[in-house]
Amino acid sequence: MTVKLTGQRSVADVITSIGSKTRNRMAVYFSAAQVAYPPNELTMLALKDSAYLEVWAGHANHPAFIHRYKIKALSGVSGPKLREGDKQVPEGIYRIEGLNPNSSFYLSMKLNYPNNFDSQHAHAEGRTQPGSNIFIHGKSVSIGCLAMGDDAIEELFVLVHDVGLHNVRIAIAPTDPRLAPLSIGHNPAWVAELYRSLEHEFRQYVRSKT
């Protein structure tokens, strides 16, 4: 999905406008987790089937659960994104490339899809248009992106800004691999490797039952 620019605001303008009130809302989550704000590192785990996005702070060796957001809308089915226009939300481990303060979907954060893994397999299969412009954004409409609603995207936008783009990663899986192994189904054979990496990533983030 292409998230168009609709204004002339800068990221700094947005942070000045909503930063204080948004950090106050998030303070409840971080206080409950006993984590100082902002954390040094941030991981987001997105689940396509249940439409939830979890936020974890700290390194994977000692992560702290911060909050779980309901994804308002996402499109497609189980399986990775393969081409432009397939309406699939990608699956894999990504970084945030940039923050868009002028999105037509209020605010947005661009993922680095296709990453090296995606591009490598697209090239091997002769797929010259694997797609692009995948965002986490506001509102509740999606064609290949994660639509979070406006309150949630405010929090995620400010949080990612405060932590720093290079300290944030997001893993997107079809189902929760902490509950059961991911099934390759009818996907290409290389998806088995992708799913092993997602299983390893997710299993580092388990909420304490105490």
Side-chain angles (χ1 to χ4, degrees), residues 118-155:
D118 299 319
S119 297
Q120 173 190 343
H121 289 285
H123 178 76
E125 294 176 350
R127 290 183 282 112
T128 59
Q129 295 183 313
S132 60
N133 291 321
I134 302 298
F135 293 82
I136 301 172
H137 59 66
K139 306 303 180 187
S140 56
V141 177
S142 167
I143 304 176
C145 298
L146 302 179
M148 303 302 303
D150 291 356
D151 287 345
I153 197 58
E154 283 186 348
E155 294 179 7

Side-chain angles (χ1 to χ4, degrees), residues 161-180:
H161 169 270
D162 291 351
V163 172
L165 299 182
H166 298 295
N167 299 316
V168 179
R169 58 199 277 126
I170 175 169
I172 306 173
T175 61
D176 194 336
R178 295 167 297 191
L179 302 178

Side-chain angles (χ1 to χ4, degrees), residues 3 11 20 30 33 44 48 55 82 87 99 110 117 122 131 144 148 155 161 175 181 186:
V3 181
V11 171
S20 180
F30 281 86
M44 292 183 276
K48 291 167 68 172
V55 174
L82 298 177
K87 300 182 180 180
L99 302 176
K110 186 178 182 182
F117 183 89
M148 303 302 303
E155 294 179 7
H161 169 270
T175 61
H186 298 292

